[in-house]
């Protein structure tokens, strides 16, 4: 049975290695880099949910996959959510790892720091000028290769910030990040402009939403999360909700159950 995993921005498909290894007895899991990041070809021009869905469709056609289970984290989850909404007949089940239930922030401080305050303005410039603007912006998002890398410190800080314990999968993902490109930056702005809760409210396939509560990590985000989860639950949607006491990287959280994930994917009732 084929399954497709897409990671968060900045990581390669190997971010889902712990999931792929656990499912290996029942699923052939495709760990794919995001478009324009790592080894995957980017998407040119304006990016909408339809463009993202067609990118996944093209991959499936190239690999002769008629129908698949989908597992996506963060940005990768947004792409697979787009595919599931536009091509539900090609999806068995959808697993969203902390994605879809709340909008991406207009001022994404946790992702870009103080730089985030001008993000809405930059977004307008990208919409108007596209590739020339992206080319000028790209150096701002690149880390200097000449800068000394404190790998152990990076791992420790990442785990502390995300409220997770260090393990071999976290270390591998941080040690081998996705190679950045202008096309990857274009993807980020396409993601920024998606209406994620609206997409999720259009879902027709069985969906397992595993989300972080952010309790005792970021109280503002905790309240924000609870607000949007309650709004979503007012709708009759084919969604199974599962909360994890932690932050955004739910699949690396000690409360995350690979057994529950597998049961959802394999349950035919």
């Amino acid at each position: 049975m084929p399954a497709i995993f897409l990671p968060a921005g900045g990581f390669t498909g190997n971010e889902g290695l712990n999931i792929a290894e656990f499912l290996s007895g029942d699923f052939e899991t495709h760990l794919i880099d995001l478009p324009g990041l790592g080894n995957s070809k980017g998407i040119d021009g304006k990016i909408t949910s339809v463009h993202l869905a067609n990118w996944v469709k093209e991959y499936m056609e190239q690999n002769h996959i008629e129908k698949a289970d989908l597992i996506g984290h963060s940005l990768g989850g947004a792409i697979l959510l787009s595919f599931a909404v536009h091509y539900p007949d090609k999806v068995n089940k959808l697993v969203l790892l902390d994605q879809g239930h709340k909008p991406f922030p207009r001022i994404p401080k946790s992702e870009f720091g103080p730089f985030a305050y001008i993000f809405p303005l930059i977004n307008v410039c990208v919409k108007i000028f596209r590739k020339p603007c992206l080319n000028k912006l790209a150096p701002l998002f690149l880390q200097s290769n000449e800068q000394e890398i404190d790998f152990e410190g990076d791992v420790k800080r990442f785990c502390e910030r995300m409220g997770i314990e260090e393990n071999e999968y976290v270390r591998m993902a941080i040690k081998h990040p996705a190679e950045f490109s202008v096309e990857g930056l274009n993807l980020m702005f396409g993601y920024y402009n998606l209406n994620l809760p609206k997409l999720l409210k259009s879902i027709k396939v069985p969906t397992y939403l595993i989300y972080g509560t952010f309790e005792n990590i970021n109280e503002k985000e905790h309240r924000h999360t609870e607000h949007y989860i309650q709004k979503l639950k007012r709708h009759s949607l084919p969604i199974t909700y599962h909360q994890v006491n932690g932050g955004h990287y739910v699949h690396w959280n000690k409360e995350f159950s690979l057994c529950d994930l597998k049961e959802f994917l394999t349950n035919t009732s």
Side-chain angles (χ1 to χ4, degrees):
M1 178 99 48
I4 292 174
F5 175 88
L6 290 183
F11 290 110
T12 69
N14 278 341
E15 185 199 330
L17 190 59
N18 65 318
I19 295 172
E21 288 183 351
F22 189 85
L23 297 178
S24 61
D26 298 276
F27 294 86
E28 178 187 81
T29 306
H30 297 241
L31 301 175
I32 310 172
D33 294 351
L34 300 176
L37 296 170
N39 294 318
S40 287
K41 182 182 177 182
I43 301 171
D44 293 326
K46 182 181 178 180
I47 292 179
T48 67
S49 64
V50 174
H51 294 100
L52 296 173
N54 287 337
W55 181 83
V56 178
K57 179 173 176 282
E58 183 179 347
Y59 176 87
M60 290 178 64
E61 289 174 347
Q62 289 175 351
N63 289 272
H64 309 290
I65 299 172
E66 292 292 328
K67 201 169 185 178
D69 290 285
L70 310 177
I71 308 168
H73 175 231
S74 193
L75 202 166
I79 295 173
L80 294 178
L81 171 58
S82 298
F83 179 76
V85 167
H86 292 293
Y87 296 103
D89 57 316
K90 295 183 177 296
V91 180
N92 288 317
K93 293 183 179 180
L94 171 67
V95 176
L96 295 173
L97 303 173
D98 206 52
Q99 183 56 282
H101 54 298
K102 54 188 176 183
F104 189 74
R106 295 301 88 192
I107 308 293
K109 289 185 289 185
S110 62
E111 286 81 6
F112 302 112
F115 184 68
Y117 288 100
I118 62 171
F119 212 85
L121 177 61
I122 295 174
N123 182 54
V124 172
C125 293
V126 170
K127 284 183 177 180
I128 296 172
F129 300 107
R130 306 308 311 175
K131 195 67 175 285
C133 184
L134 291 168
N135 286 332
K136 288 185 178 295
L137 287 170
L140 299 176
F141 290 82
L142 283 168
Q143 293 182 346
S144 173
N145 292 329
E146 297 176 1
Q147 195 173 20
E148 187 176 344
I149 298 174
D150 177 16
F151 174 68
E152 296 299 332
D154 287 345
V155 171
K156 182 178 179 181
R157 285 186 290 271
F158 177 85
C159 292
E160 289 175 350
R161 191 170 76 253
M162 299 301 170
I164 58 176
E165 295 179 358
E166 180 184 331
N167 61 47
E168 61 180 307
Y169 301 106
V170 176
R171 292 177 65 85
M172 178 185 296
I174 294 175
K175 190 171 185 177
H176 302 287
E179 186 177 344
F180 183 83
S181 70
V182 173
E183 288 77 17
L185 184 57
N186 190 36
L187 173 67
M188 300 289 268
F189 280 98
Y191 173 47
Y192 179 79
N193 289 295
L194 290 178
N195 187 330
L196 296 166
K198 183 178 179 181
L199 275 173
L200 189 54
K201 288 172 188 173
S202 302
I203 201 72
K204 297 292 191 294
V205 303
T207 300
Y208 189 28
L209 173 57
I210 308 167
Y211 65 95
T213 65
F214 287 85
E215 190 171 9
N216 299 321
I217 294 178
N218 183 326
E219 287 307 310
K220 182 178 179 180
E221 193 64 27
H222 170 57
R223 293 191 298 271
H224 187 66
T225 300
E226 285 298 304
H227 169 73
Y228 279 100
I229 286 292
Q230 292 308 315
K231 282 188 67 175
L232 198 57
K233 285 183 176 180
R234 294 173 194 159
H235 301 266
S236 296
L237 298 169
I239 299 176
T240 300
Y241 299 88
H242 183 82
Q243 70 176 34
V244 169
N245 292 316
H248 186 50
Y249 287 80
V250 291
H251 57 304
W252 287 334
N253 189 294
K254 62 183 178 181
E255 291 189 9
F256 176 72
S257 173
L258 286 164
C259 291
D260 288 349
L261 172 64
K262 184 176 179 179
E263 182 179 355
F264 171 78
L265 292 175
T266 56
N267 191 342
T268 57
S269 61

